[in-house]
Amino acid sequence: MPTKNELREHLHALQAGLSSMTYYEFLGVRPSSDYVAIRDAYYDRAQQLHPDRFVAFGAGSLQRSAYAVYKRISEAFSVLSDPHLRVAYDEARLGGAHRLDDVARARRRSPQERQLSNNFARIYFRAAVKKLERGLLRAAWIDVQLGLSLEDAPVLRELENRIITHPEGPASLQAEVFR
Amino acid sequence: MATDQEPVLGIDLGTTNSACAVVRDGRASVVRRGDDRIIPSVVAAMSDGRWLVGTRAKKRRSVDPVNVIYSSKRLIGRRFGSAEVQEMRQRVPYRIVEGKNEAIMIEAGGKVVSAVEVAAHVLTYLRQMAEEALGRRVRRSVIAVPANFTDSQRSATRIAARLAGLDVIRVINEPTAAALAYGYIEDTDRVIAVYDFGGGTFDVTILQITRNVFEVLATSGEMFLGGDDIDEAILGLMVGAFEQQHGISLRDNPVALERLRAVAEQVKIQLSSQSGAAVHVEEVLPGQRSDLDFSLREADLRPYVDPIVRRTIPVCQDALRCAGLSPHQVDEIVLVGGTTRLPHVRSIVEETFGKKPQTSINPMSVVAVGAAIQGAALMGSLVPMADGGVSAPSAAASAVLLDVVPRSLGVHTLGGYVDFIIERNSAIPLEQTRFFTTTTDNQRFVRIQVCQGEDEVFENNLKLGELVLSGLRDAPRGEVTVAVTFEINADGLLEVRAMDKETGQQQVATMRVLGGLDDQEIEQMATRMASAGPGPSSRGGTVVSR
Ligand SMILES: Nc1ncnc2c1ncn2[C@@H]1O[C@H](COP(=O)(O)OP(=O)(O)O)[C@@H](O)[C@H]1O
Ligand SMILES: [Mg+2]
């Protein structure tokens, strides 16, 4: 269990790293870590460093540091937990960036994506749309099913319908899928 | 945990009733005054300028309805023109008028007060009641608000607390508080449905707990559905019985109706634990021989209650659908709100989710208890050790609540559309900046309108406010860049800043909240509240004068 001084040191190390540390370093994971490892690291960080942990000290500089550090922790998690943003970030990192810039981070959602509330259902939806565009019907259909298993939403149903009724080889898709 | 520490008051400021609780020596208890733990959220203006709060104010409803303010939580933090406020104007006997900046004002007792002030009166009452019970000053509080409260509603509630002399260390979602009261903070991950059936509103929230992190997956509700509807049904039966006994209709007699409504509520409450209830009401029409004898069996009330309660089923289904879950994936069901005391409500809940709900904590105080637990966790999150250092207690002793943004936030763009800056379900606290450029040559200022909601069309969302950044340098269009930063703090409160980086000096503008109050108005209210005189303890009751 960390003592107050250990916590304080940890916090200050991260605060000093705000202008240089990568999201991976911030969460204490490796660039090769998978989603589950990243999520667990995020929850651990939250347990230790959430600004709520410092409320008892009053509104002092410690709490302000915690707030600044924590905002970066949630930013790191929001980027690394989204496959598309993570790819964009890894590219930016090759160019020397330690953070994904604001414009790239605020990637807009399409009106359809907006109708999904489950983050993963949205990711499957997005992937399915991409695959459908490239004619990968079966792969798109699988993504839609995965999305539907998380959120039974009309936009996913519509997409499913578009895939099933696609002019190019609906028969083969059906045959493969329902075999 | 330090025991001499000032306690944190956990507050449930309800639409119908309010309650508060504290944690002492590691145990949460509901604050009481005498036998009262549940305080009606009612404020009555007296002709001599005093304000009554609580039970005594509620009693005034049948005497002087136009000067009794109830259900004011439905008004707080909204704009005058909103559909909900217009609906309220139709429903309540007191007068709701428009104030400055689309604020909501209420006329009562020859005075005009804001909805925030009304809430502040109730909160002051709760604070004083707690101070009396604990024998010490209470300053710090954790206050619970509905999960679907917007940014404006949250800030208005905070202002009310400040006016009531309370320092709000955290605003917590009501369903999260209820789940905390049940202690669902161990390592197992669970999905919890919080079924909250109160006096006038129904809300259901699906929460997910992952490694001590609370997330609101979905929340759904009915603005006008609650115990009041059942009272209304019983009132109808009573009016019918009166007509049979005396041949007189009471339909056009608001004073008699209000009086019988209070009796109807008592009958309903009796029928939640007994199979029958009988009442005798003397002189329904004062000065006339008009006593009412009324009896009702639980079995005979059921056909009236059933359709009301069944209206909660599609709302639960909607929330589950939004959360992407089926009923059997819900691990626990927590009951909140007085109406869940009715056995029939419990059986409908069981029918809907396929399992029995949790009932061990009083549904009318569970939110206050949870808020108090969160307050204690916040203050005791670092425990002194023997060597003078401080250590964090075990995770289970104090969960960290990670909230998410309930609705997306965006700005108005060309053509009336929305450019979303923060997406719903993002974890808070967070900060996001977006850059905008000027759209005309030599544009001197930019006006940034902010909304909350999911619609692509700006007007279909809730407009929160706007900010204007002026004094931009002369330049061809597209050359001046303005950075707009949205920051959401741990309470879910939004701060919007616009900054012009081009002019050497950084110029910052902050958002003006619609329906909100400016500093001067808050100041005036504070003065009025401060002159409200000594608290109830020295006045031997429930009176706050001014
Ligand atoms: N024992 C009971 N049986 C049935 N209804 C009850 C009982 N106790 C309180 N109620 C009803 O609960 C409602 C108030 O619930 P509450 O949780 O205080 O509401 P709110 O959250 O809207 O402030 C009222 O309609 C009241 O009549
Ligand atoms: Mg309530």
Side-chain angles (χ1 to χ4, degrees):
Chain A
M1 214 159 288
T3 64
K4 178 183 170 186
N5 285 338
E6 283 164 2
L7 261 185
R8 193 197 295 270
E9 270 168 37
H10 191 184
L11 194 61
H12 285 161
L14 288 172
Q15 193 178 18
L18 279 172
S19 54
S20 62
M21 279 164 67
T22 66
Y23 291 153
Y24 296 109
E25 288 165 340
F26 230 83
L27 293 181
V29 292
R30 281 191 299 270
S32 59
S33 297
D34 64 4
Y35 171 77
V36 173
I38 288 170
R39 188 200 64 183
D40 287 353
Y42 167 66
Y43 287 151
D44 285 344
R45 285 279 197 265
Q47 285 296 335
Q48 282 183 356
L49 297 170
H50 192 280
D52 281 1
R53 289 280 181 238
F54 301 88
V55 169
F57 294 125
S61 69
L62 201 56
Q63 222 186 337
R64 277 197 302 278
S65 310
Y67 191 67
V69 164
Y70 195 79
K71 270 196 300 196
R72 182 63 61 80
I73 291 174
S74 48
E75 179 183 316
F77 179 66
S78 74
V79 169
L80 298 184
S81 62
D82 178 319
H84 296 256
L85 290 183
R86 189 171 171 184
V87 168
Y89 175 62
D90 286 340
E91 270 166 26
R93 219 159 39 91
L94 292 178
H98 69 285
R99 240 180 124 178
L100 190 60
D101 68 67
D102 280 297
V103 178
R105 246 184 314 124
R107 191 176 31 75
R108 288 154 216 210
R109 286 181 190 165
S110 70
Q112 283 91 5
E113 285 171 15
R114 190 155 284 292
Q115 290 172 39
L116 290 159
S117 55
N118 182 297
N119 286 331
F120 292 98
R122 192 179 317 109
I123 289 166
Y124 284 126
F125 174 82
R126 200 181 292 150
V129 169
K130 283 250 167 65
K131 287 172 186 167
L132 178 60
E133 277 166 11
R134 288 160 53 201
L136 304 170
L137 293 194
R138 183 153 186 274
W141 188 87
I142 291 172
D143 281 346
V144 168
Q145 298 312 311
L146 289 168
L148 280 168
S149 72
L150 295 165
E151 185 173 351
D152 191 351
V155 282
L156 278 162
R157 288 274 171 220
E158 274 160 36
L159 188 60
E160 182 187 36
N161 208 33
R162 260 169 61 205
I163 296 168
I164 293 173
T165 59
H166 196 279
E168 272 159 45
S172 70
L173 172 79
Q174 305 245 331
E176 258 199 275
V177 163
F178 298 113
R179 193 184 301 147
Chain B
M1 240 164 262
T3 41
D4 60 337
Q5 222 178 27
E6 186 188 315
V8 181
L9 197 61
I11 299 176
D12 173 9
L13 178 64
T15 308
T16 317
N17 297 303
S18 297
C20 58
V22 285
V23 171
R24 272 184 306 175
D25 306 325
R27 286 181 58 97
S29 56
V30 182
V31 173
R32 56 170 88 209
R33 166 178 283 160
D35 285 338
D36 289 347
R37 304 147 143 253
I38 308 296
I39 307 303
S41 310
V42 183
V43 173
M46 305 295 285
S47 53
D48 62 2
R50 292 178 309 151
W51 290 98
L52 291 182
V53 180
T55 310
R56 289 175 61 189
K58 186 178 175 180
K59 290 214 172 99
R60 304 276 311 162
R61 273 186 71 170
S62 57
V63 185
D64 185 21
V66 290
N67 292 313
V68 182
I69 308 166
Y70 61 92
S71 287
S72 65
K73 188 179 180 177
R74 295 181 186 279
L75 303 172
I76 199 164
R78 292 190 193 270
R79 291 162 64 188
F80 182 77
S82 69
E84 295 83 355
V85 173
Q86 292 311 312
E87 165 97 36
M88 274 290 277
R89 293 183 74 202
Q90 304 295 317
R91 286 172 178 255
V92 299
Y94 58 87
R95 257 174 68 77
I96 303 170
V97 296
E98 183 164 7
K100 233 172 42 186
N101 188 24
E102 298 188 48
I104 293 157
M105 307 300 283
I106 297 154
E107 277 180 22
K111 289 179 284 240
V112 181
V113 291
S114 79
V116 169
E117 232 168 318
V118 175
H121 278 302
V122 178
L123 289 167
T124 303
Y125 184 94
L126 295 175
R127 173 175 61 75
Q128 290 173 340
M129 171 171 141
E131 287 177 342
E132 215 175 283
L134 300 172
R136 61 187 302 174
R137 275 168 74 108
V138 175
R139 283 287 164 273
R140 283 191 280 242
S141 64
V142 168
I143 185 157
V145 298
N148 63 7
F149 249 29
T150 62
D151 181 66
S152 329
Q153 291 168 304
R154 285 167 201 262
S155 2
T157 306
R158 249 180 180 281
I159 294 172
R162 212 170 74 207
L163 287 169
L166 289 163
D167 168 20
V168 181
I169 59 172
R170 170 53 35 92
V171 174
I172 186 178
N173 286 324
E174 288 169 10
T176 305
L180 273 180
Y182 275 98
Y184 295 134
I185 49 171
E186 312 107 63
D187 269 344
T188 47
D189 298 351
R190 306 194 216 204
V191 174
I192 294 172
V194 181
Y195 180 100
D196 183 347
F197 207 3
T201 54
F202 172 69
D203 290 294
V204 61
T205 304
I206 314 292
L207 287 172
Q208 177 169 282
I209 305 177
T210 319
R211 309 228 302 157
N212 279 353
V213 170
F214 280 61
E215 247 168 285
V216 175
L217 291 184
T219 179
S220 196
E222 276 276 341
M223 265 288 281
F224 291 96
L225 176 62
D228 295 349
D229 297 303
I230 300 171
D231 300 348
E232 187 70 35
I234 299 174
L235 177 64
L237 296 173
M238 292 174 84
V239 168
F242 186 83
E243 233 176 287
Q244 242 177 19
Q245 288 167 27
H246 300 279
I248 302 171
S249 167
L250 296 173
R251 303 266 163 217
D252 300 318
N253 188 335
V255 171
L257 285 178
E258 277 312 310
R259 198 168 143 225
L260 290 186
R261 189 188 303 282
V263 180
E265 185 185 4
Q266 289 314 310
V267 167
K268 173 187 72 178
I269 290 172
Q270 279 183 32
L271 292 181
S272 70
S273 56
Q274 291 161 217
S275 60
V279 285
H280 176 83
V281 187
E282 272 171 30
E283 293 195 4
V284 174
L285 303 169
Q288 290 180 38
R289 288 189 54 194
S290 55
D291 291 7
L292 169 69
D293 281 303
F294 180 76
S295 64
L296 188 63
R297 290 186 313 155
E298 204 265 333
D300 296 328
L301 180 62
R302 249 175 212 240
Y304 296 94
V305 173
D306 187 68
I308 296 170
V309 182
R310 284 200 184 271
R311 281 173 58 198
T312 67
I313 299 175
V315 185
C316 292
Q317 287 163 343
D318 179 59
L320 284 169
R321 194 187 51 75
C322 289
L325 297 172
S326 56
H328 72 267
Q329 286 172 296
V330 173
D331 299 306
E332 312 280 354
I333 303 129
V334 168
L335 295 186
V336 180
T339 304
T340 65
R341 285 259 184 83
L342 290 170
H344 191 53
V345 171
R346 297 186 177 187
S347 47
I348 298 267
V349 170
E350 193 175 338
E351 193 181 293
T352 309
F353 290 95
K355 61 171 70 74
K356 280 203 186 315
Q358 296 291 327
T359 55
S360 58
I361 304 179
N362 181 343
M364 293 181 81
S365 42
V366 64
V367 168
V369 165
I373 289 173
Q374 176 61 4
L378 285 172
M379 296 319 294
S381 54
L382 293 158
V383 180
M385 294 191 309
D387 64 357
V390 179
S391 88
S394 73
S398 62
V400 162
L401 307 183
L402 290 193
D403 253 320
V404 294
V405 186
R407 291 188 196 82
S408 303
L409 292 154
V411 298
H412 186 275
T413 58
L414 279 164
Y417 290 98
V418 183
D419 199 344
F420 289 97
I421 295 192
I422 289 177
E423 298 288 354
R424 101 177 125 144
N425 277 341
S426 312
I428 54 177
L430 69 88
E431 187 182 297
Q432 179 77 53
T433 300
R434 182 82 125 253
F435 300 96
F436 294 91
T437 55
T438 46
T439 51
T440 55
D441 294 340
N442 300 332
Q443 187 175 329
R444 287 292 175 78
F445 68 92
V446 284
R447 174 162 166 250
I448 297 148
Q449 303 185 73
V450 180
C451 73
Q452 188 166 31
E454 308 309 319
D455 207 290
E456 297 288 302
V457 178
F458 188 89
E459 280 307 315
N460 294 343
N461 295 310
L462 176 78
K463 185 177 172 190
L464 291 179
E466 63 179 46
L467 66 170
V468 173
L469 190 66
S470 55
L472 304 181
R473 75 177 160 97
D474 280 347
R477 81 185 93 141
E479 275 200 6
V480 177
T481 305
V482 171
V484 180
T485 300
F486 278 52
E487 178 162 358
I488 301 184
N489 71 16
D491 282 336
L493 290 178
L494 171 69
E495 188 185 301
V496 186
R497 299 182 298 267
M499 193 167 67
D500 166 17
K501 283 185 168 160
E502 315 257 330
T503 55
Q505 235 172 354
Q506 291 196 344
Q507 210 224 121
V508 179
T510 344
M511 182 171 74
R512 190 181 68 128
V513 179
L514 277 173
L517 301 152
D518 59 33
D519 290 345
Q520 194 196 337
E521 285 168 297
I522 296 172
E523 201 56 44
Q524 286 167 356
M525 294 196 300
T527 319
R528 288 202 292 256
M529 297 282 307
S531 64
S537 48
S538 51
R539 289 208 162 233
T542 47
V543 178
V544 196
S545 71
R546 61 133 95 151

